[in-house]
Amino acid sequence: MPDRLQQQLEAFERALEGVRDEDSLYALQVAYIGRKGSISLLRRDMGKMSPDQRKQFGVEFNRVKRAIEAGIETRRQFLSDDARRRELERFEDLTMPPRRPEFGSLHPLTRTRRALASTFRRMGFDVEDGPHVEHGRYNFDFLNFLPDHPARDEQDTFFVEPRGDTSSRELVLRTHTSPIQVRTMLARTPPVRIIALGTVFRRDEDRTHSPMFHQIEGLYVDRGVTMADLKATLLQFTGSFFGPGLDVRLRPSFFPFVEPGAEFDMQCPFCRGARCVVCKQTGWIELGGSGMVHPNVLRDCGIDPAVYTGWAFGFGLDRMTMLLHDVPKLRYLFEGDIRFLEQFPC
Ligand code: DAH
């Protein structure tokens, strides 16, 4: 009897190899292990067997039946995979290498911003920001700009008219990050040590100017703060950002919110003062403005100038980014051209 089971199994296996579709597979399944299948029929003779034979038959029957079920399952899987593969092949060439996922990367300006923030954080500065649409008061008045200062001119500034509000309340797209100084001093008591990094806006557009650009602002107010602290901080900053040993110089200048005011330059990080094309043969790179916070500004922000002094500085991120990455044109930073951005992989 077990021999007949084995014979049936072998016959099944031969038949299985020829099966090419689900229907014939099903027919084969029915023919062998269906209720009236050849294997099932063999069970009918069990009644005639001795208990020992029956036991032996039972073991063998189960083995063969399981082998047939497994064979059918494997074949079914193969047929369905095969069908799927054929289906796909009608549309795609499966031998093509897969399309690589596209990875984004950080915009070079974002990198500069983050690097500056982390440099100043290490020096104990908090990072602050403020709104892009700013009160004229914070953008100008609190910063000691006189009412007729040219910076308030329509030529230089984007004025914003609140919807439905034609009153004289003056809103502007902030023209610099300096209003963040005001907001910080109004909200905090000294010691105050912050930087602010953000987008600023001016009606200015030519080869080297964009109506939207980026600044960093620094502010330190405490008892006994002097211009020497300003210079030391700038030196510390250039040292940790561009490498040690670069000198910084302050040149007298005017900004309404500082007194005295100064422009500050950094020794050219490329030639280290030896004069090159980057620094236009001067040995220096102009970075931005700075000075001691004007007593009027401190007073208006609720800080007693007889007790406290402070310094501030501000400079542009865009030109610095161009310098760092050798970007020839300002507009490349803002066009969002993927061919440019791809040159800064992570
Ligand atoms: N806000 C000035 C500008 O946009 C830059 C500046 C100059 C910022 C002197 C300062 C400063 O904090 O002390 O041109």
Side-chain angles (χ1 to χ4, degrees), residues 175-178 181 202 215 217-218 255 257-258 289-291 312-314:
T175 61
H176 50 178
T177 42
S178 304
Q181 288 186 28
R202 286 183 205 172
Q215 284 189 334
E217 187 87 15
F255 302 94
F257 36 93
V258 281
S290 64
F313 69 78

Side-chain angles (χ1 to χ4, degrees), residues 108 112 242 269-270 276-279 317-330 332-333 340 343-344:
T112 308
F242 294 99
F270 297 97
C276 66
V277 279
V278 180
C279 58
L317 264 55
D318 313 84
R319 238 166 28 92
M320 175 166 288
T321 305
M322 292 169 68
L323 269 177
L324 286 171
H325 298 292
D326 202 13
V327 176
K329 288 183 182 156
L330 179 67
Y332 288 168
L333 292 179
F340 170 74
Q343 294 174 40
F344 302 90

